[in-house]
Amino acid sequence: MIDYESLRIIWWVLVGVLLIGFAITDGFDLGVGALLTLLGKTDNERRIMINTIGPHWDGNQVWFITAGGAIFAAWPIIYATAFSGFYLALALTLIALWMRPIGFDYRSKLPNPQWRQAWDWALFAGGFVPSLIFGVAFGNLLQGVPFEFDNKLHPTYTGSFFGLLNPFAILVGLVSVAMLLNHGSTWLQLKTAEGLQERARKLSVKLSLLTVILFCLAGVWIAFGIDGFVVTSTIDTTATSNPLNKTVVQESGAWLNNYKIYPWMMAAPLLGILGGLGCSLFSHKRQSGLAFVCSALTLAGIILTAGFSMFPFLMPSTTMLNASLTMWDATSSHLTLKVMFFVACFFVPIVLSYTAYSFWVMRGRIKQEQLDQSHAIY
């Protein structure tokens, strides 16, 4: 029998793993889409870029869907509050993501240059917009979100869409864009050849350094410019979820407290920084495989840094501090988490297995002479 406290920690870890898995797998899809009009100089080069992600994007999307489902089942209050507060932003994200399957299928149906260029920009939006919004969302979570609960735990969001576009959130959004575009450029190093590969390599050298710089700037801003959140009352980690049964205050530099209590957590920001520097170095040395691995480690380090900094908070409130949602008071019941855990133990290895198998089967570079050799080519 797994106790309630352990299950809450397990699901905090599992959702984090799903988010990192989504960033690493679907992240290069988003990056390649956003780079389509920048790196692709000819129609054939853009077709090559599309076909590097063509066999993978729909399978990679499973990580995103699974993460959303896990949040819904494990943290239903988070799901309800976030979707009501970030509704327009999430709608824009979904609309942008729709551009990928539509663009892949319709872009090459007609030889008309204007037709194809229009779809190229649609695919750019399908990569850039979600990359930016995901970062903006994390930037707002770190600052706190304006929401409150009534006595029946019905959430009310009191902010606005444009309120989400504040300077710090935009900075975190730029971190997200830089790291995902860099991830896309390292993928193109692995999967393309000649001029396109060389342009991707040179861009990765710059984007990986830019990611590190922006990440460090966001860290300094968090340390000196943002008040974090602290639970000041006793936390009952095994009690039935009720976010109103605690006391929360805001303190300057509170998001750094966990690194003092658990020094091993410093591995996360170090991984983000060293991974980015390593990616730049290996891209410069034309070692594309190691550059891709370092880019993936950068993504993992940055996401873990956000999670470790906020722990145990998931969605703090700025208008009703005591209503801030944490991993101890925003989860489903003990039974639900237990059933989900055993289901995850069965299905997560399956997802990992077919993901690894698909990448192995589809290994190799996409070259110009292959564009018209198969009906499966976009």
Side-chain angles (χ1 to χ4, degrees):
M1 176 68 71
I2 306 177
D3 61 78
Y4 202 10
E5 178 182 6
S6 298
L7 281 170
R8 282 169 159 164
I9 294 173
I10 288 170
W11 274 103
W12 182 81
V13 172
L14 283 177
V15 171
V17 169
L18 290 171
L19 291 175
I20 292 171
F22 166 68
I24 292 175
T25 56
D26 207 40
F28 65 75
D29 296 337
L30 298 173
V32 170
L35 292 172
L36 194 62
T37 57
L38 176 64
L39 290 182
K41 301 302 181 183
T42 65
D43 180 67
N44 278 342
E45 285 188 344
R46 293 180 181 182
R47 287 187 66 196
I48 289 172
M49 293 174 68
I50 291 171
N51 281 284
T52 64
I53 60 177
H56 303 289
W57 74 268
D58 47 355
N60 294 342
Q61 197 78 3
V62 171
W63 289 92
F64 181 57
I65 297 169
T66 305
I71 293 172
F72 171 75
W75 303 330
I77 302 178
I78 295 286
Y79 190 90
T81 307
F83 270 70
S84 61
F86 299 157
Y87 186 83
L88 182 55
L90 290 169
L92 289 174
T93 301
L94 291 176
I95 292 170
L97 289 174
W98 292 341
M99 293 298 102
R100 287 195 297 179
I102 299 172
F104 291 159
D105 283 339
Y106 284 94
R107 181 191 183 277
S108 298
K109 296 294 186 184
L110 297 177
N112 185 283
Q114 286 75 28
W115 170 270
R116 295 190 174 189
Q117 187 178 44
W119 284 114
D120 289 341
W121 284 106
L123 289 169
F124 162 80
F128 181 85
V129 172
S131 300
L132 179 65
I133 290 178
F134 291 147
V136 169
F138 270 100
N140 278 281
L141 289 178
L142 285 162
Q143 296 175 98
V145 181
F147 70 90
E148 52 194 47
F149 290 112
D150 61 20
N151 56 7
K152 294 183 179 180
L153 294 184
H154 293 159
T156 300
Y157 178 72
T158 58
S160 66
F161 171 76
F162 292 104
L164 300 175
L165 303 177
N166 54 78
F168 177 75
I170 292 174
L171 173 60
V172 179
L174 293 176
V175 174
S176 176
V177 169
M179 73 180 189
L180 293 179
L181 264 63
N182 178 60
H183 201 45
S185 65
T186 59
W187 175 254
L188 290 173
Q189 290 182 63
L190 280 173
K191 300 293 289 184
T192 62
E194 300 172 345
L196 181 56
Q197 181 193 35
E198 184 65 13
R199 289 195 294 276
R201 183 191 67 80
K202 291 180 179 179
L203 183 62
S204 178
V205 172
K206 299 174 183 177
L207 281 177
S208 50
L209 292 177
L210 178 62
T211 300
V212 171
I213 292 171
L214 292 174
F215 179 50
C216 291
L217 285 175
V220 172
W221 198 327
I222 287 173
F224 300 104
I226 290 179
D227 291 339
F229 294 75
V230 179
V231 178
T232 56
S233 57
T234 302
I235 301 175
D236 186 350
T237 58
T238 61
T240 302
S241 291
N242 185 343
L244 300 181
N245 290 340
K246 66 178 180 301
T247 304
V248 176
V249 298
Q250 281 189 279
E251 294 179 359
S252 176
W255 286 147
L256 302 181
N257 289 347
N258 284 334
Y259 299 104
K260 301 172 185 176
I261 301 171
Y262 312 105
W264 59 267
M265 287 186 175
M266 283 299 300
L270 288 175
L271 184 64
I273 294 171
L274 295 178
L277 295 177
C279 181
S280 181
L281 174 64
F282 289 125
S283 293
H284 178 71
K285 290 181 173 292
R286 293 180 168 83
Q287 294 179 290
S288 55
L290 290 174
F292 183 79
V293 171
C294 285
S295 177
L297 292 175
T298 302
L299 266 64
I302 290 174
I303 294 172
L304 285 172
T305 299
F308 287 167
S309 298
M310 292 181 63
F311 181 88
F313 288 92
L314 301 173
M315 192 173 181
S317 170
T318 54
T319 55
M320 188 178 183
L321 295 181
N322 294 349
S324 298
L325 300 172
T326 75
M327 59 174 288
W328 306 121
D329 55 26
T331 61
S332 295
S333 67
H334 185 192
L335 176 61
T336 301
L337 295 184
K338 183 171 65 174
V339 172
M340 286 174 56
F341 171 73
F342 290 114
V343 171
C345 287
F346 178 77
F347 282 106
V348 170
I350 293 176
V351 174
L352 290 172
S353 298
Y354 80 66
T355 299
Y357 177 74
S358 67
F359 277 92
W360 172 255
V361 171
M362 302 295 177
R363 67 190 184 279
R365 299 183 186 276
I366 305 294
K367 298 181 180 179
Q368 184 167 329
E369 56 267 24
Q370 297 173 305
L371 290 181
D372 299 313
Q373 292 180 359
S374 170
H375 70 279
I377 292 291
Y378 290 111

